[in-house]
Amino acid sequence: MMASRLTRGAIGAARLRPTVPATRALPAATAFTTSVARRQPEPPKTPVEDPAKTARSILDSLPGSNLISKTAILSAGAGLSIAAISNELYVVNEESIILFSLFTIYWAVAHYGGPLYKEWSDNTANKIQGILNAARKDHTEAVKSRIENVKDLGGVIDITKSLFEVSKETARLEAQAYELEQKTALAAEAKSVLDSWVRYEGQVKARQQKELADSIIGKIEKELEDPKVLQRILSQSVQDVETLAKDDDEAGPEITKITFDGPLVNIRYFDDSDIITATDAENSVVHRSTDAGKSWRPVKDIVKGEALEVVHHPFNNQVAVCFGNQRTHWITKDQGETWNSFKTDGDPSFRAPPISFHAGDANKIILNLLKCDDFECETKAYYTTDGFDSKPRLLRDDSHQCMWARTQDLFTTGSKDKDNDQTLCVVRGKFSPWISDFRLLTSTDYFKKNEIEPEMEENRPVAGVANIAGAKRYIVAAAKASNTQEMSLYITTDAENWQRARFGDQALEQDAYTILESTNYSIQVDVMTSPFALPMGSLFTSNYNGTYFTKNIEHANRNRRGYVDFEKIQNIQGIMLVNTVHNAKEIEEGRRTEKQIETGISFDDGRTFHELRVGKDRLHLHSVTDQRNSGRVFSSPAPGLVMGNGNTGKYLGKREHAALFVSDNAGLSWRKAQPDGHMHEFGDQGSLIVVVIDRPDAKRIGYSLDHGKSWKYKNFDGYKIRPLQLTTVPDSTSRKFILYAEEGSGGSAKHVVIHLDFDKLDKPKCKEENFEIWHARVDGDKKPICIMGHTQSYRRRKADADCFVHEDFKDPVPKFENCQCEDHDYECDFGFERSVDGKSCEPVAPLVPPEGQCVDGKETFEGSSGWRKIPGNTCEPKDKGNKDDPIERDCKDTVKTPATNKITHTITPFQASRFREFYYLERKGNEEETIVMRTEQREAFITHDHGKKWEQIIVEDEVKAIYPHQYFHEAAYFITPSRKVFYTHDRGKRIHSFEAPEVPNQENVEYLRFHPSERDWLIWTGGKGCGLFDFGEECRTIAQVSRKGGEDWTTLLPSVRKCVFAASEGRRDSEQLVYCEQYQDEDPTAPLHLLSSNDWFEHKKTVFEDVVNFATMSEYIIVARRDEDQTSLRVDASVDGKDFANAEFPRNFQVLHQQAYTVLDSSTHAVFLHVTVNNRRDQEYGSILKSNSNGTSYVTSISGVSRNTAGYVDFEKMQGLEGVAIVNVVANIDETNDGKKKSLKTMITHNDGAEWSYLVPPKEDSEGKQIEVCGGELQDCSLHLHGYTERKDPRHTYSSPSAAGIMMGIGNVGERLGQRTDGDTFITTDGGVTWKEAMKGTFMWEFGDSGSIIVIVEEERPTDIVYYSLDEGEHWEKYQFTDKGKMVIADISTVPSDTSRNFLLWGKSVDAKGEIVTVNLDFTGLTDEECRLNKDDPDAEESDFRLWKPKHPTQEDDCLFGHVAEYYRKRTDRKCYVGRLDNQLRGIARNCTCTRQDYECEYNYERKNDGSCDLVSGYEPPPASQICKDDASAIEYWDPTGYRKVPLSTCEGGQQLEHWTSHPCPDHEAEWADRERRRGLSGIAIFAIVVVAVSAAGAVGWWVGRNLHSKFGRIRLGDGGGGLASSAAGSAGSAGGQSPWIRYPVVAVSGVVAVVGAIPVVVASAGRGVMSLFGRGGSRGAYSGLRGANGYGGRTYTSRQSFARGRQDFAAVDVGADEGELLGEDSDEEV
């Protein structure tokens, strides 16, 4: 700073010589120099004093106000002195004399030297002052003469400010110099009294100080010769003097500072009061103020250290709730004067709003609480109707969120009773905990008896409701389907009738839309439309009902947290401020990385926007995305007053360069208020504005009393702050403000509240002449604008009135005047929606004519114009010509367009020889059906209408591969040979791109991996240092992660084979969990290590060394690694992703060298693991083992199951139906082991692998002829189906998830499975219990419309015909899809959910061209009637559905897995379409009693042919009492039985095969005895059981003896018995022995307890049956089977899209493969 530099230069020379430091007491003497008059020095002389004057001066020096008091004090002093000396309290000695002499000398120096010193210092000061005054006077004229030139200088004010600060520092240095001079002079004078040396030294010091002063003055005078410097200093000086004069003249507000121990959060006023609460977040203490923040006290009723947050009731200013951190909470009903505590069984939920207040009854409150243990969190909702005077009661224990229907004061259900008590809850699904199955329920009796699941779309409930919220007069529910980020919004205005909100073709995505501040007549929603890195959105406004949304603004600026630069001017309808992005197109195309933001304002509810202007300059303001203060950004209830920080220019600049601007006409015109960015707040209805600079060194506040035209300031008392929040009462009517800030910085910073009281200005109350009528909205001609049919005006204080309104807590009242109706006062009527151009309203369904119209030949009727006046609009209609006047309509518009009753087809040819891959990007619940496809020419195409129209999607680059997102179906990635990756997040509507960190790897490793819950989290595995064919030492794979959708990348690990996200909903703290296989020492020829990390490998953990592969599933992580001997494999499993346990295989399962594993399924809380026994090519088979719930203990489910070289296993679970699976087993194991070809037989299980049986063959073929291929026992003549290992596309399945119980397959009836080409096509509709032949020959099939349409087409043969069935395969019709020659169809597909009525054939013409084609088959013309579903009585005659119940084939009832499940099935005789049916499973009708079919063999027990479970031969299990040692709290242990309940079973009572005999644990005998008494039976019951047992034993023994040889092949335990397992199936990998025909004469007597209930069961989420192969790895990660003594070499592989992506639910076809398409088994781990 200039003045500082001048001063430092001036004193530099003086610092070269040392000086004697002044005495500490001397500076005080400077205070006496200010009042001494200046005089000329006189020669020393001895003064003659008048004795009387001297005596008077002595008396005057004594204390006291009059002569009497002085005399008394003198006498008392003398007396005390005499007494002290006489009593030897004080002894007069030489020290006393010295002391007296010292005081005398001090007095003499002060008395005689003081006047001399004062006179000299005054002369010196006057001299310097004269020099400065002369200098100022000389330059004043120069300043005046150049004043006009000064005006043209730009930026002079800012420079002057800084220079004046310098000048003030110069003045301070001058004062210090003078003070030092005075101290030195005083010391010199004192020393001159003592002796001449002291006087001499004093003169030297005086001369030095004089030189110093002369030097400083000289240099200052020299610098002041520069007119520019002088002008700037003087200009700033004048301005500062004026400011200081104002501050001095005006008393300003009273400022009070209060210091707190910790940072404050949630500073809130009780509405219409001066009472405030604030929470010390660091110390968990609630503070309260009753005087608008001037004084504070801790709330004594709330336990110190336990407060979390205080939540104020939004509609009752007496009530607030304080949440505690120890499950004790508090409520106040008197604005915090007293607080009453209440306890809860949980903590406030962080998943949903923790509290919901009733808008009409402050005593009604709902709490959403979370109770967590070590593994999971459970959400419960509690409620009170008495303000927690009594203990809160449980509302729902399976809730995600609950709220009152009337949570907003404007909302009403239309019924007073419902308004009082109706609640809404988002609860878990009936059979699933996943968010995609959440449901919305309502109740009017707190869910005691009344519970309704409202129909929200197409007269049906909606699954996947994620959250609900109130918005003015609306309730909004957001629903999310599985496998997508897209959301749907549902709106209701009465909590009963819901409608889906429609946004045109704009999709809403999770965390990518924001419900903005809404009005009483519409909802505003901003939808993100750009990449996450630079977010932008489109702003939509709804109609009155909240159902149809119109786009108002494009490219609205928003940030990554979802905040949008949008704000309505408070209390004024129709005015809003919005920031938009000018260069949006460049950002979307990736050509710009910074936004160019502009600010606009609308005065007509968003119909038109205008620029903000400061004079002629355009103004831009920082908005919500950069908010610094609390509350609104721009406005308050003060009528018309708007303020904001920003800048003039082309675009919005940086915040640190912003200035403060103000408008007092609601944004129509603006002026600059402050040169820097400031926090601001309004008071006294806008007559008072308070500001504080937004910097960490604020030292004053500013205020304006004239709408910001002029400003006054008040300095803090010598301290600086960093302002954090400036606020006042919510209605801005008070003149008291609080400023929360930090004083100081770093660890020493203090948290302070500064109270500002402007009542101290003592302004009078305004009179009527001090007010004006101000119109809220005016046009360019300053004429009032009409919104909602009226103008709006306010009475407010004039800007120049010198008074205060003084109407605390009285909101300004608007005045409305109605206008004549115009076009914008109308919206589309019910049953109509806006046309594409927005100019008309078109009917969405056939019109309903008034009664008596369109009859008797009438061709027209008078009906709705399609428009209606917006409800609540007060405009006055014209006499005629209004938009809502009825119009004449054609009666033809009332007739629904009939279905054509025809199927249509569309053929599209492509210039390529084959399709490489295709994927569906399904959007459930929407007619849009998108497919992306790639040909062998590396061209990518897209269709949005299921193949009717195709277009090329990537033109400028080759597409090497397509990667649909595994978990979010709206996203797909298009890999090019370079680093460039194209992608879409909206099913191809917009294509974006990013640069991958490396080129695609050359090792057939998956390029992209996806996160299960974060769409934008990607792992890219590229090739670093690799050329196209370069596999040198520098070439290696490297894994990198992006959390911004490819915008930036972080390296995970080099030299990896694969890295995957291991996150799972059921795996806590796994969001960032990543597993990687890395080569040891980064050497591609070394073994692989399995590493894990939770922080992107900033830190890492070696999980296992020398691994072969691993699989990540929703419930388990399975790892295969080599044994120490390097000749065999072992399996480890983990549930939580942290702790692994070695898999324990049955003792009788002995495979010398475990060479490969295939993980088959984990959808039923157990792992199905195929362990290869024979690994020789084309002779592979093994055993399927089933695990316990943590995946570590395995039992043999079935042996001898076939697999192929690639690792696929002939095992498939039925989709949509729990526990049903089909396998193919090797029937000639001994021969196969000798090298012969495998012979296969098909088996099925109906209880999740506990029992297996053969498929019962149909008796007749499709032509009605008897099937007489074989006969005899089922094991000799059954149905066999070609399985997984024989499919071109392994994701083709027997069944569909939307067609529960229906399966199709190709096979034959006989003793063994024959050739596929000789097979026929079979179907079952009861879950595999019975089968029938559908068609002769081999066909491909697809299910549509939830199984109500089945389409089949011949495979591998030229054809032009498809067959279809509308009655579950009972009858088949044929349809010719081309008349231009036959085609060879490679595949048939439809949407993965199988709910569409469109199908697509993928084929190739057989003519000379040989071009590939797609054929769309559209079945929507067959019917336009949607099936009616009566949920309360589905079997009712008017219902188009019936209930179907799956069953076990050996049980007479409908029990399966211990319960009777009911599924919706469309009646086959109804001509309608199913449409949207979120869940085919209606529910569990009842639980059943336990039977043999509910149990499987326990670990180390094996199933015998008679169905019993025996201990493995030679194995001694540990004692059952071991549990007592392992668990000290255990009360009892049970004798082992060899059985365990199937995990899916919910049976109750009946046969308790897992528990027979109980024993007490040591020291728990009494507890055990008590439990036994409660468990026991009464005497009557025992007697009845004995009688029944004896009778049953006799009857069973007689019947068995009579029928033994004629009807029994073997005896089965219990009432079910197992199926018949072939002898071959029991020999491989098992030590099972043959049982005698009758091994045990068993009489089982069970007390059956029938329990009827509705206990939900978790429905298996069946995948596409994709498997993961574990085998021994070769070098560089290539899978090579087992390279051992009995193994085979060479790479085995599968195509990526047909294997690794199988669980994505995308249909695909891969005819052949080309470079880069074949991946090793490392990509095939997903299940």
Side-chain angles (χ1 to χ4, degrees), residues 45 50 98 196 246 285 304 351 393 443 564 791 864 964 972 1068 1081 1139 1264 1410 1714:
K45 63 181 179 178
D50 182 12
I98 293 173
S196 61
K246 289 182 181 179
V285 175
K304 183 179 181 180
R351 297 175 175 174
R393 288 169 283 181
S443 176
V564 182
T791 63
S864 170
R1068 293 188 67 181
D1081 300 327
D1139 301 316
D1714 65 357

Side-chain angles (χ1 to χ4, degrees), residues 788-806:
M788 287 298 289
H790 52 253
T791 63
Q792 185 177 1
S793 60
Y794 283 93
R795 170 182 174 268
R796 73 177 187 182
R797 197 206 71 164
K798 295 177 181 178
D800 57 355
D802 189 19
C803 59
F804 279 150
V805 177
H806 281 296

Side-chain angles (χ1 to χ4, degrees), residues 1423-1468:
T1423 180
D1424 54 8
E1425 292 289 338
E1426 186 176 10
C1427 298
R1428 294 164 295 176
L1429 173 63
N1430 186 335
K1431 293 189 302 179
D1432 298 327
D1433 186 11
D1435 288 326
E1437 182 60 31
E1438 71 273 8
S1439 175
D1440 292 319
F1441 292 85
R1442 62 183 176 89
L1443 290 179
W1444 174 72
K1445 303 172 184 177
K1447 61 180 295 182
H1448 195 283
T1450 62
Q1451 293 182 212
E1452 295 181 359
D1453 56 15
D1454 293 323
C1455 290
L1456 186 63
F1457 292 108
H1459 53 257
V1460 177
E1462 296 178 331
Y1463 292 81
Y1464 294 118
R1465 281 264 189 97
K1466 181 201 149 190
R1467 297 176 189 262
T1468 56

Side-chain angles (χ1 to χ4, degrees), residues 257-263 719-722 724 740-753:
K257 183 176 70 172
I258 306 95
T259 303
F260 292 85
D261 295 333
Y719 56 87
K720 298 179 181 180
I721 62 167
R722 180 169 73 93
L724 299 175
Y740 172 54
E742 283 185 356
E743 181 184 356
S745 60
S748 62
K750 299 177 183 178
H751 303 277
V752 297
V753 167

Side-chain angles (χ1 to χ4, degrees), residues 1214-1218 1220 1294-1304 1323-1328 1343-1348 1350 1368 1393-1395 1442-1447 1456 1461-1466 1474 1477 1479-1482 1659-1660 1662:
M1214 186 175 188
Q1215 300 182 72
L1217 192 63
E1218 54 192 4
V1220 178
Y1294 294 126
S1295 57
S1296 164
S1298 65
I1302 303 178
M1303 285 192 289
M1304 295 191 72
I1323 188 172
T1324 176
T1325 59
D1326 56 7
F1343 304 95
D1345 195 35
S1346 299
S1348 69
I1350 306 175
E1368 298 179 357
S1393 63
D1394 294 336
T1395 56
R1442 62 183 176 89
L1443 290 179
W1444 174 72
K1445 303 172 184 177
K1447 61 180 295 182
L1456 186 63
E1462 296 178 331
Y1463 292 81
Y1464 294 118
R1465 281 264 189 97
K1466 181 201 149 190
V1474 175
L1477 187 62
N1479 201 334
Q1480 281 193 306
L1481 178 60
R1482 179 177 186 252
V1659 177

Side-chain angles (χ1 to χ4, degrees), residues 1086-1286:
L1088 284 165
H1089 289 188
L1090 182 62
L1091 309 177
S1092 70
S1093 175
N1094 251 322
D1095 57 6
W1096 316 119
F1097 287 93
E1098 289 289 331
H1099 304 86
K1100 59 186 177 182
K1101 173 186 176 183
T1102 300
V1103 183
F1104 291 111
E1105 298 179 354
D1106 203 2
V1107 299
V1108 175
N1109 210 332
F1110 71 99
T1112 58
M1113 294 160 283
S1114 60
E1115 291 186 87
Y1116 307 97
I1117 298 177
I1118 308 296
V1119 180
R1121 56 192 178 102
R1122 293 181 178 86
D1123 269 342
E1124 295 179 358
D1125 59 7
Q1126 296 289 303
T1127 62
S1128 186
L1129 303 181
R1130 60 181 297 178
V1131 173
D1132 293 85
S1134 173
V1135 175
D1136 60 7
K1138 300 175 183 177
D1139 301 316
F1140 284 80
N1142 182 240
E1144 298 178 346
F1145 291 165
R1147 290 299 181 96
N1148 65 328
F1149 182 77
Q1150 299 296 330
V1151 179
L1152 182 59
H1153 300 300
Q1154 297 176 28
Q1155 301 161 349
Y1157 307 116
T1158 303
V1159 180
L1160 302 174
D1161 181 79
S1162 67
S1163 61
T1164 53
H1165 305 293
V1167 176
F1168 280 84
L1169 184 69
H1170 182 276
V1171 182
T1172 299
V1173 175
N1174 186 336
N1175 207 32
R1176 286 182 292 182
R1177 185 183 293 273
D1178 297 327
Q1179 295 173 334
E1180 300 92 344
Y1181 68 85
S1183 294
I1184 293 180
L1185 308 183
K1186 182 183 178 184
S1187 79
N1188 58 356
S1189 60
N1190 63 11
T1192 59
S1193 175
Y1194 288 78
V1195 298
T1196 302
S1197 176
I1198 188 170
S1199 302
V1201 179
S1202 176
R1203 55 152 277 205
N1204 64 8
T1205 302
Y1208 294 111
V1209 178
D1210 272 346
F1211 169 94
E1212 183 177 328
K1213 283 208 166 186
M1214 186 175 188
Q1215 300 182 72
L1217 192 63
E1218 54 192 4
V1220 178
I1222 291 179
V1223 298
N1224 281 340
V1225 298
V1226 179
N1228 60 334
I1229 282 184
D1230 292 338
E1231 297 172 347
T1232 300
N1233 291 339
D1234 291 336
K1236 292 187 177 180
K1237 182 180 178 181
K1238 290 184 292 186
S1239 179
L1240 304 180
K1241 298 171 69 73
T1242 301
M1243 304 187 74
I1244 190 171
T1245 178
H1246 292 272
N1247 55 359
D1248 209 32
E1251 300 171 308
W1252 296 86
S1253 61
Y1254 296 111
L1255 274 62
V1256 177
K1259 296 181 180 179
E1260 296 180 347
D1261 63 12
S1262 57
E1263 298 173 352
K1265 300 177 182 178
Q1266 291 290 322
I1267 298 178
E1268 299 178 350
V1269 177
C1270 57
E1273 297 290 337
L1274 184 60
Q1275 64 179 351
D1276 298 324
C1277 186
S1278 60
L1279 174 64
H1280 308 284
L1281 301 176
H1282 294 273
Y1284 222 90
T1285 59
E1286 298 183 67

